[in-house]
Amino acid sequence: MQFLQIRYQIWYRLKSPFIKINNYTAYNNSIIHSIGSRFSNKFIQSDNKYLGNFTFSFLNISHQFKTEIDWNFSEHGKLWTYNLQYFDFLLDENILHSEKQLFVEKFSELLLKGEIKLEPYPVSLRIINWIIFFSKSGVQSSNSEIALKRQVNYLENNLEFHILANHLLENYIALFISGISLQNERLINSNWTSILKQLDEQILEDGGHYECSPMYHSILLGKLLLIYDVLPNKTIIPHIQKFENTLQKMLGWLVAVSFYNKKWAHLNDSTEGIAPTVSNILHVAEQIGLKPSKIDLKQSGYRKYVLNDWEVIFDVGNILPSYQPGHAHSDMLAVCLQIENKAVLVDTGTSTYQFGARRMSERSTVSHNTVSINGTNQSEVWGSFRVGSRASITIHKETPNFIEAFHNGYKRNFGLIHKRSIQFEDKSFVITDKLEGAPKKAYVGVAFFHLDHKCNVRLDIENGKLFVNDNIEFSFSEYQKIELKEYSQAIGFNLYENSYCIKVHFLIQLTTNIRHI
């Protein structure tokens, strides 16, 4: 954690009780103008969040309010409440305009009465959604107009320096779009400079967002494409070429980390139904004149190997960023595999951000396709968004069809390092796991292989083999024991499917051969 984060955490806790929305009056005399977005409903995931009749569905949990909406409703957890307050559903073209307007008006009344708690991240997303809505329909009431302006003023005085990362970038994006809508040059210029500075820090050389989550990468890329779409005159924007290059690199990373079927593995905190789809992002980018750069995955820590109809993602990256690892998992040297556009080995997914056993499990080493010693984590994950002591990874050798890397996450407790190599051939690849060093105490290594819930599985324990979908063979050698266990695969927030995990116990070395038969 940076000193800046600590300082602002203390400051925000001290001033939070005194924050009142009606103190933020800087833009009272400003006029709200249309931003003219052509593709707004493609940049933000908005469909099927409002189902009609006061019924909302977020995070795969639906709730119907009786006669009016409780905007502070919290029975389904804080993230569900946030989603209700984001107002993404305003961009759903299937909802009646009159209903949308009613929701904005009622929320505005409560906000101006001080009955809605202000938090910068929900405010950032809500500002953008309201501006897009007003751009299409016009401002229908003085209450909603005042509420929007005061949220903008609140946000610029409560930037999330205590969190940084994607939160701070979302703050600046919302303020920049506000500047365009209010035609305020100071807001435009200062936040454009801040956006460029954050992109320099947050976007890695290979185009990936430094939190290394395809979901958050896609969310931010959608918002940045929205900025590019609504820029009134690109020729007078300073450093516009640099911005375009960054967007093209981010598009390139998204292509590089995605499979043929335009899906990405659920790496770190990632799941379905939250971010704009890869197809939508690429379609919109093409329409506004941006093409993905050719990217070789490197700095983000991922490698992708494509051999005919096989696609493999291999995680050889450290936990990033060091000062905000809240969306990171303990998953070094994990693999994900698709064959013929079908998931085979999967990252088990993210289903909740609420603190508890499920959140801890989903971030743990044993929930990923890598090796755990005595059931422990490579890096210490705790709380909902914290990482303590963490492993460091080293790539020992890398060629087009071979890679070997190791990490020191088990060195302190066990005196061992985990080394994994992958050798690729035409119709197979071989994973070799080694536990090297002088062990400090008794241990057992377990390699985990989590299968997608759609896979058909047959285990031949006697011969050390597992057959998947009748055309994929896993064979193991130098093992002590093989187990086939059920696990709950998260395919969305609060959405699960039963599937199978192969647990292979070994002491010093394990060789796993996966081949297409």
Side-chain angles (χ1 to χ4, degrees):
M1 182 175 288
Q2 293 185 351
F3 175 74
L4 179 71
Q5 291 170 283
I6 297 172
R7 179 161 64 90
Y8 273 93
Q9 279 190 5
I10 296 170
W11 170 235
Y12 286 148
R13 287 175 185 174
L14 289 173
K15 78 171 187 173
S16 180
F18 305 101
I19 291 175
K20 299 189 183 304
I21 186 65
N22 290 317
N23 291 338
Y24 296 102
T25 59
Y27 302 111
N28 277 5
N29 297 323
S30 299
I31 297 173
I32 298 172
H33 300 268
S34 171
I35 62 170
S37 171
R38 294 171 289 166
F39 306 103
S40 55
N41 63 334
K42 303 292 186 183
F43 296 122
I44 298 168
Q45 190 81 345
S46 60
D47 295 344
N48 301 315
K49 293 188 175 183
Y50 178 64
L51 308 179
N53 197 25
F54 296 104
T55 302
F56 293 86
S57 180
F58 307 115
L59 312 176
N60 296 301
I61 297 176
S62 296
H63 182 87
Q64 183 177 25
F65 296 98
K66 292 182 179 179
T67 56
E68 63 180 50
I69 298 163
D70 177 3
W71 296 102
N72 295 308
F73 180 79
S74 60
E75 289 184 16
H76 299 314
K78 194 171 186 178
L79 188 59
W80 199 96
T81 309
Y82 282 167
N83 273 267
L84 178 65
Q85 294 183 2
Y86 292 160
F87 277 80
D88 290 345
F89 53 84
L90 288 180
L91 310 187
D92 187 342
E93 296 176 351
N94 296 311
I95 302 174
L96 291 174
H97 169 76
S98 57
E99 283 194 281
K100 297 178 185 179
Q101 186 59 46
L102 175 65
F103 297 153
V104 172
E105 179 62 22
K106 291 293 186 181
F107 188 91
S108 298
E109 289 178 10
L110 292 173
L111 188 74
L112 296 175
K113 289 178 182 178
E115 296 181 20
I116 303 289
K117 183 181 178 182
L118 293 168
E119 295 187 56
Y121 189 78
V123 167
S124 296
L125 274 60
R126 187 162 61 243
I127 283 172
I128 292 174
N129 290 326
W130 281 23
I131 288 175
I132 294 172
F133 176 61
F134 292 156
S135 295
K136 292 184 176 181
S137 63
V139 182
Q140 303 295 316
S141 76
S142 59
N143 264 353
S144 57
E145 180 177 1
I146 293 168
L148 175 62
K149 294 174 185 177
R150 292 190 179 173
Q151 287 177 92
V152 172
N153 192 208
Y154 158 81
L155 181 59
E156 68 177 334
N157 285 281
N158 293 276
L159 294 166
E160 293 179 274
F161 293 118
H162 59 306
I163 297 177
L164 302 175
N166 71 85
H167 279 238
L168 186 59
L169 186 51
E170 289 275 14
N171 298 162
Y172 288 135
I173 291 170
L175 288 173
F176 179 78
I177 291 175
S178 300
I180 294 177
S181 178
L182 299 176
Q183 295 188 357
N184 184 296
E185 289 190 10
R186 182 189 59 79
L187 273 177
I188 291 172
N189 294 334
S190 64
N191 288 289
W192 179 250
T193 300
S194 296
I195 287 169
L196 294 177
K197 182 179 178 181
Q198 286 302 309
L199 292 178
D200 281 342
E201 180 174 349
Q202 296 192 30
I203 305 305
L204 302 169
E205 187 59 34
D206 67 359
H209 182 255
Y210 69 174
E211 292 182 83
C212 301
S213 155
M215 183 178 79
Y216 282 102
H217 180 99
S218 299
I219 291 170
L220 289 169
L221 180 53
K223 298 287 179 54
L224 294 167
L225 289 171
L226 174 62
I227 284 179
Y228 191 77
D229 184 39
V230 303
L231 285 175
N233 188 345
K234 296 179 178 61
T235 60
I236 64 172
I237 300 294
H239 309 294
I240 188 63
Q241 185 64 56
K242 179 181 179 181
F243 185 65
E244 291 173 351
N245 291 342
T246 299
L247 293 184
Q248 290 174 320
K249 282 171 55 177
M250 292 181 72
L251 288 164
W253 187 89
L254 187 62
V255 170
V257 82
S258 299
F259 297 115
Y260 287 141
N261 60 2
K262 299 293 191 298
K263 299 284 188 180
W264 27 254
H266 294 167
L267 305 166
N268 288 316
D269 278 346
S270 296
T271 196
E272 300 297 320
I274 305 297
T277 66
V278 175
S279 296
N280 277 352
I281 287 176
L282 295 179
H283 171 72
V284 168
E286 182 180 10
Q287 294 299 307
I288 60 180
L290 294 173
K291 295 182 179 180
S293 298
K294 174 65 177 174
I295 291 295
D296 292 321
L297 295 173
K298 189 173 183 181
Q299 288 82 4
S300 57
Y302 299 123
R303 300 293 186 273
K304 182 181 173 187
Y305 301 91
V306 178
L307 301 107
N308 300 317
D309 50 10
W310 289 53
E311 299 172 273
V312 178
I313 298 288
F314 188 34
D315 185 345
V316 287
N318 288 310
I319 287 179
L320 294 173
S322 61
Y323 56 82
Q324 182 48 280
H327 293 298
H329 291 194
S330 183
D331 59 355
M332 289 178 178
L333 304 182
V335 296
C336 294
L337 167 67
Q338 283 208 3
I339 299 177
E340 296 177 342
N341 285 329
K342 295 179 181 179
V344 179
L345 293 176
V346 296
D347 205 308
T348 59
T350 299
S351 69
T352 182
Y353 283 168
Q354 287 188 250
F355 176 70
R358 182 79 202 191
R359 175 64 173 162
M360 295 292 286
S361 173
E362 289 176 352
R363 298 181 73 203
S364 71
T365 300
V366 301
S367 290
H368 298 84
N369 301 318
T370 186
V371 169
S372 173
I373 297 180
N374 288 8
T376 61
N377 289 324
Q378 310 156 340
S379 298
E380 182 187 18
V381 290
W382 57 279
S384 291
F385 300 101
R386 298 287 184 266
V387 177
S389 61
R390 59 201 69 178
S392 177
I393 205 162
T394 301
I395 298 174
H396 181 248
K397 184 179 180 181
E398 185 172 10
T399 67
N401 291 315
F402 177 85
I403 185 168
E404 183 177 66
F406 62 88
H407 70 80
N408 62 0
Y410 303 125
K411 186 74 173 177
R412 183 176 62 180
N413 291 331
F414 297 97
L416 299 168
I417 65 167
H418 172 213
K419 181 184 288 185
R420 170 170 278 188
S421 67
I422 301 183
Q423 175 71 55
F424 294 91
E425 299 175 3
D426 184 33
K427 288 284 186 178
S428 69
F429 70 98
V430 177
I431 301 173
T432 302
D433 289 302
K434 297 179 181 179
L435 299 177
E436 299 181 344
K440 295 179 179 180
K441 53 187 174 183
Y443 75 92
V444 174
V446 179
F448 292 83
F449 299 92
H450 296 87
L451 298 167
D452 183 69
H453 67 278
K454 294 181 180 178
C455 290
N456 298 312
V457 181
R458 178 170 61 87
L459 179 61
D460 180 359
I461 291 182
E462 184 177 343
N463 295 303
K465 293 183 178 181
L466 179 103
F467 298 91
V468 179
N469 298 338
D470 296 323
N471 64 350
I472 305 163
E473 178 191 86
F474 288 69
S475 60
F476 307 98
S477 59
E478 303 162 283
Y479 62 92
Q480 288 191 316
K481 182 174 69 172
I482 301 176
E483 299 177 278
L484 184 63
K485 298 287 187 179
E486 287 192 3
Y487 82 97
S488 181
Q489 182 184 352
I491 58 173
F493 272 94
N494 303 297
L495 193 60
Y496 310 96
E497 292 283 355
N498 292 328
S499 190
Y500 290 97
C501 172
I502 316 163
K503 297 173 62 176
V504 188
H505 300 242
F506 71 102
L507 281 178
I508 298 173
Q509 180 168 314
L510 171 69
T511 302
T512 304
N513 192 316
I514 306 173
R515 69 187 186 98
H516 208 172
I517 56 177

Coordinates of all heavy atoms in Angstrom, one line a residue, residues 25-33 145-146 149-150 182 184:
T25 N -22.0 22.9 -5.0 CA -22.9 23.8 -5.8 C -22.1 24.4 -7.0 O -22.6 25.4 -7.6 CB -23.5 24.8 -5.0 OG1 -22.5 25.6 -4.3 CG2 -24.4 24.2 -3.9
A26 N -20.9 24.0 -7.3 CA -20.0 24.7 -8.2 C -20.6 24.8 -9.6 O -20.3 25.7 -10.4 CB -18.6 24.0 -8.3
Y27 N -21.4 23.8 -10.0 CA -21.9 23.8 -11.4 C -23.4 24.2 -11.5 O -24.1 23.8 -12.5 CB -21.7 22.4 -12.0 CG -20.2 22.1 -12.0 CD1 -19.7 21.1 -11.1 CD2 -19.3 22.8 -12.7 CE1 -18.4 20.8 -11.1 CE2 -17.9 22.5 -12.7 CZ -17.5 21.5 -11.9 OH -16.2 21.2 -11.8
N28 N -23.9 24.9 -10.5 CA -25.3 25.3 -10.5 C -25.8 26.0 -11.7 O -26.9 25.8 -12.2 CB -25.7 26.1 -9.3 CG -25.9 25.3 -8.0 OD1 -25.7 24.1 -8.0 ND2 -26.3 26.0 -6.9
N29 N -24.9 26.8 -12.3 CA -25.3 27.6 -13.4 C -24.9 27.0 -14.8 O -25.0 27.6 -15.8 CB -24.7 29.0 -13.3 CG -25.2 29.7 -12.1 OD1 -26.4 29.6 -11.8 ND2 -24.3 30.5 -11.4
S30 N -24.3 25.8 -14.7 CA -23.9 25.1 -16.0 C -25.1 24.5 -16.7 O -26.1 24.2 -16.1 CB -22.8 24.1 -15.7 OG -21.7 24.6 -15.1
I31 N -24.9 24.4 -18.0 CA -26.0 23.7 -18.8 C -25.5 22.4 -19.2 O -24.4 22.2 -19.6 CB -26.3 24.6 -20.0 CG1 -26.8 26.0 -19.6 CG2 -27.3 23.9 -21.0 CD1 -27.0 27.0 -20.7
I32 N -26.4 21.4 -19.1 CA -26.1 20.0 -19.6 C -26.4 19.9 -21.1 O -27.5 20.1 -21.5 CB -27.0 19.0 -18.8 CG1 -26.7 19.1 -17.3 CG2 -26.7 17.6 -19.3 CD1 -27.6 18.3 -16.4
H33 N -25.3 19.5 -21.8 CA -25.4 19.3 -23.2 C -25.3 17.8 -23.6 O -24.7 17.0 -22.9 CB -24.2 20.1 -23.9 CG -24.3 21.6 -23.7 ND1 -24.9 22.5 -24.5 CD2 -23.7 22.3 -22.6 CE1 -24.8 23.7 -24.0 NE2 -24.1 23.6 -22.9
E145 N -31.5 17.5 -12.8 CA -30.4 18.3 -13.3 C -29.5 18.8 -12.2 O -28.3 18.7 -12.3 CB -31.0 19.6 -14.0 CG -30.0 20.5 -14.6 CD -30.6 21.7 -15.3 OE1 -31.8 21.7 -15.4 OE2 -29.8 22.5 -15.9
I146 N -30.1 19.2 -11.1 CA -29.3 19.6 -9.9 C -28.6 18.5 -9.4 O -27.4 18.6 -9.0 CB -30.2 20.3 -8.9 CG1 -30.8 21.6 -9.4 CG2 -29.5 20.5 -7.6 CD1 -31.9 22.1 -8.5
K149 N -25.4 17.6 -11.4 CA -24.3 18.7 -11.3 C -23.7 18.5 -9.9 O -22.4 18.7 -9.8 CB -24.9 20.0 -11.5 CG -25.4 20.3 -12.9 CD -26.1 21.7 -12.9 CE -26.7 22.0 -14.3 NZ -27.4 23.3 -14.3
R150 N -24.4 18.3 -8.9 CA -23.8 18.2 -7.6 C -23.0 16.9 -7.4 O -22.0 16.9 -6.7 CB -24.9 18.3 -6.5 CG -25.5 19.7 -6.5 CD -26.4 20.0 -5.4 NE -26.9 21.4 -5.5 CZ -27.8 22.0 -4.8 NH1 -28.4 21.4 -3.8 NH2 -28.1 23.3 -5.0
L182 N -20.9 19.4 -19.7 CA -21.1 20.7 -19.1 C -20.4 21.8 -19.9 O -20.5 23.0 -19.6 CB -20.7 20.8 -17.7 CG -21.4 19.8 -16.7 CD1 -20.8 19.9 -15.3 CD2 -22.9 20.1 -16.7
N184 N -17.2 22.4 -19.9 CA -16.3 23.1 -18.9 C -14.9 22.7 -19.2 O -14.5 21.6 -19.1 CB -16.7 22.6 -17.5 CG -15.9 23.3 -16.4 OD1 -14.7 23.2 -16.3 ND2 -16.6 24.0 -15.6

